[in-house]
Amino acid sequence: MEPIISFKKFGFQYYAQKQPTLYDINLDIYPGERILIAGPSGSGKSTLGNCLNGLVPFSCRGECTGELKVDGVDAPHSSIFELSAHVGTVLQDPDGQFIGLTVAEDIAFALENACMPQDEMHAITRRVADMVSIGDHLDFAPHELSGGQKQRVSLAGVMVDEVKVLLFDEPLANLDPAAGKQAVELIDDIQKKTDTTVVIIEHRLEDVLWRNVDRIVLMDEGRIQADLRPDELLSTSLLLDYGIREPLYLTALRYAGVPIVPDMHPEHVNNLVLTDAHCAQVRNWFEEAPVPKTGADEAPILEVRGLGFGYSPGKKVLEDVTFSIRRGEMVSIVGRNGAGKSTLSKLICGFERPSEGTIFFDGRDLGEESIRERAAHIGYVMQNPNQMISKTMIFDEVALGLGRSGLSDEEIRSKVEETLKICGLYPFRNWPISALSFGQKKRVTIASVLVMGPEVIILDEPTAGQDFRSYTEIMEFLRTLNQRGVTVIMITHDMHLMLEYTPRALVFSGGRMIADQSAASVLCSSELVQRAALKETSLFTLAGRCGIDQPVAFVERFIETDREVRRNGC
């Protein structure tokens, strides 16, 4: 069988860079295969994907070497237009892919450009919309959809051309866990119906492996470091060696001394082959693992009482929300897309005014304070970094908030450079922001808030688009700030982040807070997982399979052990 995608000694160098981004790529992908491309930020995986759809070299200019054939087309010497008939791309941020005013218009955009007769265009649009289960929303505006629904519309928009290759660039980054799971199932379903070749670029490896993939291509520093079946790759230490988080249940097995081999089928916890001896090792490890320490209670720094809000009359986004957060806590806010999590943060920061209830900061009512007055104590990092960035250069963006601080130019430079180093951005301090990836832009926005020294910092999806190494650097920095007394509140879809870094979780669904519990107990509750569109941790499943009747304690002890192992660099 001839490959549908074939790289032969392929390389690429951006004109703006001194060194190539891709080196000597040799990779064949065959029709109907599902390939996962993984690697740390800056490894070249997004550039590799953009070579398939023509963004490289026709939009992102640079020089190609070697050969690349995509469905028989000489890609580097073709065009974006020609390649779009062969490769459909679903972007990380679906909002950046919408063109039409309604779902139907957006799906039909390519057909309209091809001057297709309306009857035929309507029939194809309806068929593709039904295929991705969005047919009931054809008259909706894109902004009325949830994150998962937006992904479906983006997928439908590229499928109308009946492309042979579907490229997904971090499709799970902005989705809640349940929507991410549905997205993986949708990709699996579409591939079975159409026999399309699928290429997925994603950091959330365990979530992608919810459905089978044929191979995992591991990249680092512009080169392919491994091209293996999932069971082969997961049996090695390669993922950890290159800073990629392996599935949590495998890490737990390693801590228990259980060797991981391909015959165990380690790619999914439900298919994992465990012997009685393996289960005994896990139980023994659990009994001997250290019990997490509990922190001392502090006075509340933030209190929310009876909060209610709606963007339009008669339609509440939040209703009767009451909670308090103590000084020095680290708390997660979790729940499905559209549950009101981001709206809550806007109310706390003063971007919106509540219709009901009161917000207190350090005992005083925030109702009369302006956004500027609140910003002196409460920092906010938005989910989409492009909505926060206003300067051209990285250094200037991070320094922007210090302009009226009364500090000297030298003091500002020192403060900015220190923050850039902590956030892993110092080598790029003189770069234009336009040259950064989505994940790097995210770090710039975090740095621009952290440099101000807030007492409370609210982060909306702080690790979206980050590889595990960058994720760990940022989160360990936030932990350090937290240990110095800064209160950290994180809105997140990353269940491992919630487990590892926040002992407490506030769970939202339908505009109401439905739980205020430990992170481990939330993810071990089938009821909460279902109501809030979360995803049960695979550690819960592993505990059950090994006969451990204290799954919450098992998860908490794993997190404590994992934290100590990585902190000590073992």
Side-chain angles (χ1 to χ4, degrees), residues 253 256-259 274-284 546:
L253 289 173
V258 176
L274 294 173
T275 66
D276 291 343
H278 294 154
C279 292
Q281 285 179 268
V282 174
R283 288 193 298 270
N284 290 338
C546 292

Side-chain angles (χ1 to χ4, degrees), residues 24-326:
D24 196 30
I25 301 296
N26 291 287
L27 176 66
D28 286 336
I29 299 174
Y30 293 89
E33 278 197 300
R34 191 181 312 171
I35 304 298
L36 170 60
I37 299 179
S41 294
S43 62
K45 57 186 185 299
S46 290
T47 298
L48 184 75
N50 288 337
C51 290
L52 300 179
N53 59 25
L55 288 177
V56 168
F58 302 110
S59 179
C60 306
R61 308 293 293 178
E63 182 179 355
C64 297
T65 57
E67 298 179 8
L68 170 57
K69 292 287 182 68
V70 179
D71 196 19
V73 175
D74 184 358
H77 300 95
S78 179
S79 67
I80 293 178
F81 177 75
E82 183 178 0
L83 285 168
S84 69
H86 303 270
V87 181
T89 305
V90 178
L91 299 174
Q92 176 180 355
D93 179 9
D95 287 326
Q97 202 159 344
F98 288 128
I99 296 171
L101 297 178
T102 67
V103 168
E105 288 180 13
D106 200 80
I107 294 174
F109 179 75
L111 304 179
E112 287 185 299
N113 279 351
C115 299
M116 180 174 288
Q118 283 205 355
D119 289 346
E120 187 177 351
M121 180 174 61
H122 289 164
I124 292 175
T125 300
R126 168 65 65 179
R127 176 176 58 82
V128 173
D130 288 341
M131 188 180 293
V132 300
S133 302
I134 205 70
D136 294 336
H137 294 74
L138 289 176
D139 295 329
F140 281 51
H143 72 267
E144 296 178 300
L145 303 178
S146 70
Q149 289 169 332
K150 288 177 180 179
Q151 287 283 13
R152 292 172 185 268
V153 175
S154 297
L155 179 56
V158 300
M159 287 181 61
V160 294
D161 281 331
E162 297 184 349
V163 294
K164 293 183 180 179
V165 178
L166 285 173
L167 171 65
F168 295 88
D169 189 357
E170 297 199 38
L172 310 182
N174 295 311
L175 300 181
D176 63 52
K181 181 178 175 181
Q182 292 168 4
V184 172
E185 291 170 348
L186 176 64
I187 294 169
D188 181 65
D189 187 46
I190 293 300
Q191 188 176 32
K192 288 176 180 176
K193 291 177 179 177
T194 62
D195 200 32
T196 308
T197 303
V198 170
V199 179
I200 303 171
I201 300 169
E202 183 56 69
H203 290 301
R204 287 163 60 173
L205 188 120
E206 182 174 338
D207 292 335
V208 175
L209 293 177
W210 171 247
R211 288 291 183 264
N212 293 333
V213 302
D214 295 293
R215 288 183 284 151
I216 300 176
V217 176
L218 180 61
M219 296 191 64
D220 189 46
E221 296 184 349
R223 303 179 188 273
I224 292 177
Q225 305 295 338
D227 179 1
L228 298 169
R229 297 195 321 269
D231 57 350
E232 294 175 330
L233 183 64
L234 294 173
S235 299
T236 72
S237 64
L238 284 170
L239 290 175
L240 297 176
D241 293 344
Y242 288 101
I244 306 298
R245 181 197 293 158
E246 68 177 359
L248 296 185
Y249 57 90
L250 295 183
T251 306
L253 289 173
R254 295 186 198 279
Y255 290 159
V258 176
I260 311 299
V261 295
D263 288 345
M264 293 174 66
H265 301 294
E267 58 270 26
H268 195 282
V269 66
N270 290 333
N271 300 329
L272 190 64
V273 177
L274 294 173
T275 66
D276 291 343
H278 294 154
C279 292
Q281 285 179 268
V282 174
R283 288 193 298 270
N284 290 338
W285 170 83
F286 165 64
E287 291 169 0
E288 297 172 0
V291 177
K293 300 175 182 177
T294 56
D297 286 347
E298 296 284 347
I301 190 170
L302 184 69
E303 295 179 84
V304 172
R305 298 179 188 171
L307 199 66
F309 176 78
Y311 290 102
S312 57
K315 190 176 181 181
K316 288 190 175 181
V317 177
L318 290 172
E319 189 171 0
D320 194 25
V321 175
T322 298
F323 63 86
S324 64
I325 293 176
R326 297 185 298 275

Side-chain angles (χ1 to χ4, degrees), residues 286-462:
F286 165 64
E287 291 169 0
E288 297 172 0
V291 177
K293 300 175 182 177
T294 56
D297 286 347
E298 296 284 347
I301 190 170
L302 184 69
E303 295 179 84
V304 172
R305 298 179 188 171
L307 199 66
F309 176 78
Y311 290 102
S312 57
K315 190 176 181 181
K316 288 190 175 181
V317 177
L318 290 172
E319 189 171 0
D320 194 25
V321 175
T322 298
F323 63 86
S324 64
I325 293 176
R326 297 185 298 275
R327 183 180 296 275
E329 269 200 294
M330 210 164 181
V331 178
S332 282
I333 299 177
V334 298
R336 68 176 72 243
N337 290 99
K341 306 183 300 297
S342 295
T343 298
L344 174 64
S345 63
K346 292 176 184 177
L347 292 168
I348 293 172
C349 294
F351 304 147
E352 302 285 355
R353 294 285 178 175
S355 56
E356 301 169 359
T358 312
I359 302 172
F360 296 91
F361 180 84
D362 204 14
R364 69 179 184 276
D365 187 345
L366 289 180
E368 301 303 318
E369 291 198 3
S370 66
I371 295 174
R372 182 180 179 84
E373 289 170 327
R374 297 188 197 197
H377 309 283
I378 303 171
Y380 178 52
V381 180
M382 298 172 70
Q383 180 174 353
N384 186 345
N386 295 318
Q387 295 175 346
M388 288 187 68
I389 292 169
S390 58
K391 293 292 185 178
T392 302
M393 306 301 290
I394 292 173
F395 185 94
D396 295 340
E397 178 65 30
V398 178
L400 179 63
L402 297 174
R404 297 183 180 180
S405 63
L407 299 174
S408 68
D409 289 347
E410 187 57 38
E411 287 172 326
I412 289 175
R413 174 167 294 278
S414 175
K415 202 173 183 68
V416 170
E417 288 183 350
E418 179 185 358
T419 304
L420 288 172
K421 287 176 182 176
I422 292 169
C423 291
L425 291 167
Y426 185 75
F428 313 111
R429 61 194 180 282
N430 296 320
W431 280 32
I433 292 173
S434 60
L436 301 181
S437 68
F438 183 88
Q440 289 170 324
K441 288 180 182 178
K442 188 81 174 182
R443 279 192 271 167
V444 170
T445 59
I446 292 174
S448 68
V449 171
L450 295 181
V451 77
M452 302 297 296
E455 294 176 70
V456 173
I457 181 168
I458 303 171
L459 302 105
D460 198 345
E461 295 294 346

